[in-house]
Every structure is written in structure tokens, then in C-alpha cells.
Amino acid sequence: MTILVIGAVIGLLVFIQSWVYKKFWRTGLSAVVKFSSKEAFEGDKLFLLEEFTNKKFLPLPWLFVEFKLSSHLHFNGDSGNVQGSIRAQRDLFSIKIFERIRRKIPFLASKRGFYTLREVGVKASNLLHTKRFEGYFGTYQELTVYPKLIDDAEDIAMLYKNMDAMMLSNALINPDPFEFKGIRDYMPTDSLKNINFKASAIQQQLMVNIHAPVSAKRLEVVLNLQPYSTHDYKEVYEQAIRLAATIASRYINQDVQLGFYTNGRDNNAKPTPRVNMGQSSAHLQSILSALAHLNTSNVPSPIAPHLEQITDNTAIYVIISSYYGEDLAAALRQLKESNISYMVIMPMEARHIYDAPMGDNITIWQATK
């Protein structure tokens, strides 16, 4: 009889604790998982911050946590399950009454891109681990990984030298009406708007203002991601993207007005928005963000129609393109005939360099070693 009573009591306790856990396991439970930063560059080390809080008089001896991230985020001693481009991170915790657990996991942002974390799945069990309960915590975390900036190697320095030379040769574009240099006698070729009437009255002859010329510190980076061969090597395009980011960073930091255009598309196969001329740090961030969102697997539109519409001859166009077809060559000839200043940088594999086109404004850059 005693054994039956004890058995009945144990059975009742098991039932009660199972019922209590089923009803209250999620009460007072919170899960927060986020990135330590919202922006980073390729190769940067970041942290995944986890925080789980149990605000109730009920311990959670078994708490399974699962969420999905890109496999391009590399964790030390990777304990996750990687399937294709998705990595499922699974962890097991035990949380006491009114306890908060924090954990910081280092990881490497190995590839540029735009990464999100949308939800955290949790599974709990009762004390005897006889029942399992599931739930989700909604979240939305973003991480934008910008392209890595290329070091100032000798070949990059040569590209800078060529661009600086073009800016210098394009210096006498327009006189700056706010940069006064002096006064001289009027000549028939002078514009009437430059006449200095006060000086003319004193000298009893027409005098004109002299304005100092200003350099054309306006660049537009045009990134063409059209395939340049039937055997695409994605690293060439990644290097082209890094080169665009490096050029933008250098010249914006030198107070050069810089714009950006690409025919590349994002993960949704949508065209990347054009970034108009600007020179602030926020402007550079917009360009880097546009580059981070590019998906080189999506087929871009031809670049030639865009080049054919260029009419602004006050800017220098830096065209980064591994592709060089007849349509592009024709568009470049049109730019030249329209007195548009441009230079073409062709990132190429070493095995294709000897087949590259030759031209005064074409620079071949070995993108892969």
C-alpha cells in the first residue's frame, strides 16, 4: 500500500512539474542575439553577443538555442552545422532561477556582403527531460561587410599616379568666380561679366578681374561587371569591387567630389542605385554599402548604354572593367570625341593579360597573383 502511495505521489509530482513547465517555461524568458557592430570590412574580427534571461521562479535546466547565419561568417572552433551558404548555430544552456547568461563569440567576416539574423529558436524541457517545448524570439539584426581596401602596393600606386596626372591635366576647366587673383587690361576675348567697373573708372579704361583656375577634382567611378570570358573567375570581379572601394576611399579622403555607378545587381537581382557626387564620410559609406550588396552571380546589364549618355566634361571617369567588347570600345570612342576625360582600368587574370587590348587610356591591372 505504501509503495502504491509513493508511486502515486511521484506520478502526481511528475505530472505537476510537466504541466507547470508547459504553461510557464517561456514566462519571463528573453533571448537577445546581435552583432557587435553593424558595419565591418572583409577580414575584420567581430563578436556575436548572446544574452538569455530567466526572470521567474522556475529554472530551465535544458535550454537549446538555434539560429541561422551565413557560412561566410567564420567562427572559431566552428560548432555549427554548415549546409551550403547557411550555418545553423546550436547551443545548450542551463539557466537558474532569475539568472542572466551572457556570451561573446568571436567570428571573422570573411566575405563582403549583407547579412541578417531574423529569429532565434529556443527549445526547453522539464526537469526530467521528458517533454520538450519550442518557441521563437523575433529579431532583426543587420551586418554590412564592406569590400576589403587594397594595400598601397606598387601596382596600386601606379594607378593613383595615372589618375592624379589626369586630374592635373584637366585642371584648367573653369575659372572659379570666388577665387580672385588680380586685375588686368580688357581683351576682346574676355567675357563682359568679368569687367571690374570700379577699376575701369579709376584707370579710365576697361579692366577685368583675373580668377585663379581650379582643378577638376571630380571623379566618377564606373564599375562594369559584365563577364569578360566564357570561364568566369569570380575573384577577378571581387578584386574589381575592392579596387572601386579603394579608389573611392582614397579620393574622398582627399576632398575630391566622387560619384559611383555600376551595372551590377544585388541579391534580389535589382540594379544597384547610383551614388551621385559627394565627398563626406557618409557619402563614402553609401558607396561602400552599394558595393557590399553586389551579387556577382546576377547577370548585369551592358555598360555601353550608360557611357553613351555621359555629357559632363567637368569630371574624370574611372572605368573599371574586365570586359572589353565592341560595344564598350565604341562607347569609349564616343567619349573621346566628346572631350570626356576617362581612363579604363582592366582587372584581369595573369593568363589573360597578354590578350588584353592596347590603348592610351587603358591600364591593365593584374587582379590575381
Side-chain angles (χ1 to χ4, degrees):
M1 184 65 179
T2 303
I3 295 176
L4 293 176
V5 172
I6 293 175
V9 171
I10 293 175
L12 180 62
L13 292 176
V14 169
F15 173 79
I16 291 175
Q17 67 89 28
S18 180
W19 179 86
V20 169
Y21 270 95
K22 181 179 180 180
K23 187 172 182 62
F24 298 107
W25 74 272
R26 186 160 175 165
T27 301
L29 177 65
S30 63
V32 177
V33 180
K34 60 183 180 180
F35 301 112
S36 59
S37 176
K38 291 186 176 181
E39 296 92 20
F41 284 88
E42 280 181 303
D44 282 356
K45 181 180 178 182
L46 302 174
F47 294 92
L48 191 69
L49 307 178
E50 299 179 331
E51 181 178 298
F52 305 99
T53 305
N54 182 30
K55 294 182 179 180
K56 60 177 176 291
F57 288 98
L58 191 67
L60 296 174
W62 311 95
L63 183 67
F64 299 89
V65 178
E66 179 178 352
F67 49 88
K68 295 180 179 179
L69 294 169
S70 171
S71 60
H72 296 307
L73 305 179
H74 292 173
F75 288 77
N76 297 335
D78 204 334
S79 61
N81 181 21
V82 178
Q83 296 181 350
S85 61
I86 301 299
R87 173 185 185 277
Q89 173 69 23
R90 299 186 178 97
D91 298 306
L92 174 62
F93 298 92
S94 178
I95 305 182
K96 301 175 184 177
I97 297 172
F98 289 97
E99 184 180 24
R100 175 177 296 164
I101 295 178
R102 291 190 178 98
R103 195 171 70 160
K104 186 164 69 172
I105 309 174
F107 70 90
L108 188 71
S110 66
K111 191 177 188 307
R112 66 162 186 90
F114 179 71
Y115 305 103
T116 59
L117 173 62
R118 297 182 179 276
E119 65 178 16
V120 179
V122 293
K123 298 178 182 179
S125 70
N126 54 25
L127 290 173
L128 301 178
H129 200 45
T130 56
K131 294 288 185 180
R132 180 173 292 188
F133 318 105
E134 299 183 8
Y136 294 91
F137 288 91
T139 184
Y140 186 77
Q141 301 294 325
E142 296 181 351
L143 172 62
T144 303
V145 179
Y146 301 140
K148 178 176 62 178
L149 300 183
I150 301 173
D151 295 334
D152 288 335
E154 183 177 349
D155 53 349
I156 300 296
M158 182 59 67
L159 296 179
Y160 291 153
K161 184 177 180 180
N162 293 340
M163 280 181 276
D164 291 342
M166 288 197 69
M167 292 178 64
L168 183 61
S169 65
N170 210 38
L172 301 178
I173 296 292
N174 291 302
D176 187 349
F178 302 104
E179 188 70 22
F180 180 75
K181 190 177 182 181
I183 301 174
R184 62 168 172 79
D185 293 341
Y186 172 81
M187 297 178 64
T189 55
D190 289 329
S191 173
L192 295 179
K193 67 180 181 181
N194 290 330
I195 294 177
N196 188 319
F197 291 98
K198 183 177 181 180
S200 298
I202 296 173
Q203 297 293 332
Q204 296 297 308
Q205 62 178 354
L206 288 177
M207 307 293 291
V208 294
N209 295 325
I210 304 173
H211 300 286
V214 293
S215 298
K217 292 187 176 181
R218 300 180 74 243
L219 290 178
E220 178 157 320
V221 177
V222 180
L223 176 62
N224 180 23
L225 295 178
Q226 285 177 262
Y228 76 102
S229 72
T230 56
H231 303 286
D232 282 350
Y233 184 36
K234 296 298 184 184
E235 183 59 22
V236 170
Y237 304 107
E238 290 299 323
Q239 282 291 81
I241 291 171
R242 294 174 188 133
L243 179 60
T246 304
I247 292 173
S249 177
R250 181 182 193 265
Y251 285 101
I252 287 179
N253 288 331
Q254 292 183 359
D255 294 329
V256 174
Q257 291 277 336
L258 192 137
F260 172 72
Y261 175 85
T262 181
N263 57 353
R265 299 175 180 273
D266 62 15
N267 286 324
N268 296 319
K270 295 181 179 179
T272 299
R274 177 175 180 168
V275 182
N276 294 323
M277 291 283 179
Q279 60 186 136
S280 65
S281 58
H283 182 73
L284 175 59
Q285 189 176 25
S286 297
I287 295 175
L288 295 177
S289 180
L291 290 168
H293 282 75
L294 288 175
N295 186 339
T296 56
S297 296
N298 291 328
V299 179
S301 57
I303 199 68
H306 171 73
L307 298 179
E308 292 169 352
Q309 295 175 5
I310 292 176
T311 58
D312 183 7
N313 60 2
T314 66
I316 296 173
Y317 294 85
V318 179
I319 304 166
I320 303 174
S321 175
S322 296
Y323 168 86
Y324 194 86
E326 285 297 327
D327 57 338
L328 177 57
L332 294 178
R333 286 194 296 269
Q334 179 176 316
L335 290 179
K336 188 173 184 180
E337 293 170 358
S338 302
N339 293 321
I340 304 294
S341 298
Y342 72 90
M343 68 175 294
V344 179
I345 303 175
M346 296 190 66
M348 302 195 75
E349 296 178 68
R351 62 192 177 102
H352 288 295
I353 286 180
Y354 296 104
D355 300 326
M358 303 296 292
D360 294 337
N361 293 342
I362 298 176
T363 301
I364 306 302
W365 180 58
Q366 185 173 329
T368 58
K369 306 302 181 183

